[in-house]
Amino acid sequence: MQESFYDVTEISGEEISKEQLERMHHRYAWARNQCKNKSVVEVACGSGQGLGIILEVANSLVAGDCDQDILEIAKLHYRDRVQLDRFDALDLPFDDNSIDVIINFEAIYYLRDCEKFVAECNRVLRVGGKILIATANKDLADFNPSPNSYNYLGTVELEKLLAKFSFDCDLFGYMSVKKVSVKQRIFRPIKWLVVKLGLMPKSMKSKRLFKRIVFGELVSMPHELVTGEVSFSPPIPLQKACPNTEHKVIYCTGTKTQ
């Protein structure tokens, strides 16, 4: 039976924290700058909130997800504006050397076999093509893994994985824990203890009360993000071969070299 990711996905119309919305805006603004005039595929697109931002600049855009229920939400919104197909990230339905950019945002840890995914990217991408990855930083002290996840990759693991398949790797950090609100600084050790004791709620829905306490007022996740709604500052370049313990989000650009 096909595994469902509905309960752990940021679904359009559901309540989320303002920080979650800011993070989503930021990663698509970051990708937008690398997708201009390119053929782009988003893998594990979820309900597709960022597709409109990429569609504005890409030469072509195809997106897909393995969860049909989530994909239907994106299809209902975008209709014929974006090609949306159900497919597996480990078996991409594209010809060899046919795509310029593959996006995988906040989803690589849900893949059963990350090596198989990167091998597929290597097959599908043209030389000079890029994988764009955004992932929660597993190396933070209060990191809380998703219950549906298989394996989280930090900066060290991402670089090693991409190098194995002839990708040059550039790493970036976003949203420093040193710059969060006073309330978040107070609650971070509490969160660490909650995670340590296994008491953290598992689904997006059950985490809402916790989010209200830490982040304050919640907002509705839009069906489609709008360019420029949140100011964009480039993520911070990171040292390679070194775990990052400062940023909530790790960005990775893997460039195919051969």
Side-chain angles (χ1 to χ4, degrees):
M1 185 174 67
Q2 177 64 51
E3 186 175 7
S4 174
F5 294 94
Y6 197 98
D7 286 342
V8 294
T9 299
E10 295 165 322
I11 300 295
S12 304
E14 293 190 350
E15 286 186 316
I16 59 169
S17 70
K18 292 180 180 179
E19 181 179 295
Q20 280 179 282
L21 184 59
E22 180 184 342
R23 285 165 64 158
M24 183 170 281
H25 268 286
H26 191 273
R27 60 184 180 250
Y28 282 101
W30 174 70
R32 173 189 169 94
N33 295 329
Q34 302 179 74
C35 292
K36 292 180 180 178
N37 302 316
K38 305 294 186 181
S39 58
V40 181
V41 171
E42 180 166 9
V43 175
C45 69
S47 53
Q49 291 90 347
L51 296 177
I53 290 177
I54 304 303
L55 189 63
E56 290 176 348
V57 297
N59 184 46
S60 64
L61 174 61
V62 178
D65 201 280
C66 67
D67 192 309
Q68 187 65 41
D69 291 336
I70 297 175
L71 193 61
E72 288 300 323
I73 297 171
K75 287 184 175 182
L76 186 63
H77 174 75
Y78 287 99
R79 299 187 183 276
D80 60 355
R81 291 171 55 205
V82 180
Q83 181 180 335
L84 288 153
D85 299 319
R86 184 180 183 184
F87 58 74
D88 189 333
L90 308 186
D91 186 19
L92 297 175
F94 306 103
D95 293 337
D96 296 358
N97 307 304
S98 62
I99 302 298
D100 296 315
V101 179
I102 294 175
I103 296 171
N104 183 283
F105 283 168
E106 296 294 346
I108 194 165
Y109 38 83
Y110 292 132
L111 303 182
R112 301 181 305 279
D113 187 341
C114 291
E115 286 198 6
K116 182 73 162 56
F117 168 63
V118 177
E120 274 291 270
C121 291
N122 180 274
R123 176 185 67 79
V124 167
L125 287 170
R126 300 182 176 100
V127 174
K130 299 179 184 296
I131 311 175
L132 305 181
I133 296 170
T135 183
N137 186 3
K138 76 174 186 65
D139 294 316
L140 292 182
D142 60 347
F143 171 69
N144 177 43
S146 169
N148 288 45
S149 61
Y150 286 94
N151 188 32
Y152 280 84
L153 305 176
T155 51
V156 174
E157 294 84 3
L158 281 167
E159 183 183 6
K160 287 181 178 178
L161 174 61
L162 292 176
K164 187 172 183 178
F165 293 93
S166 300
F167 285 93
D168 280 343
C169 180
D170 292 301
L171 297 163
F172 307 88
Y174 171 61
M175 198 166 280
S176 170
V177 296
K178 297 178 180 179
K179 297 180 180 180
V180 298
S181 68
V182 173
K183 183 187 285 189
Q184 281 201 52
R185 292 182 188 182
I186 292 171
F187 272 94
R188 285 195 73 211
I190 297 174
K191 179 188 173 187
W192 174 86
L193 181 60
V194 169
V195 172
K196 190 79 172 176
L197 294 175
L199 300 176
M200 181 64 73
K202 301 301 183 183
S203 70
M204 290 289 186
K205 186 175 182 179
S206 59
K207 288 179 181 177
R208 286 177 191 163
L209 177 59
F210 186 82
K211 289 177 184 176
R212 285 195 185 97
I213 295 171
V214 177
F215 298 104
E217 179 188 0
L218 301 183
V219 296
S220 178
M221 171 62 78
H223 287 278
E224 182 176 346
L225 303 179
V226 177
T227 302
E229 280 192 339
V230 175
S231 61
F232 176 78
S233 56
I236 306 301
L238 300 178
Q239 290 184 337
K240 298 181 180 180
C242 180
N244 178 271
T245 57
E246 178 180 343
H247 296 91
K248 292 189 177 186
V249 181
I250 300 300
Y251 289 151
C252 174
T253 300
T255 304
K256 181 178 173 178
T257 59
Q258 61 185 33

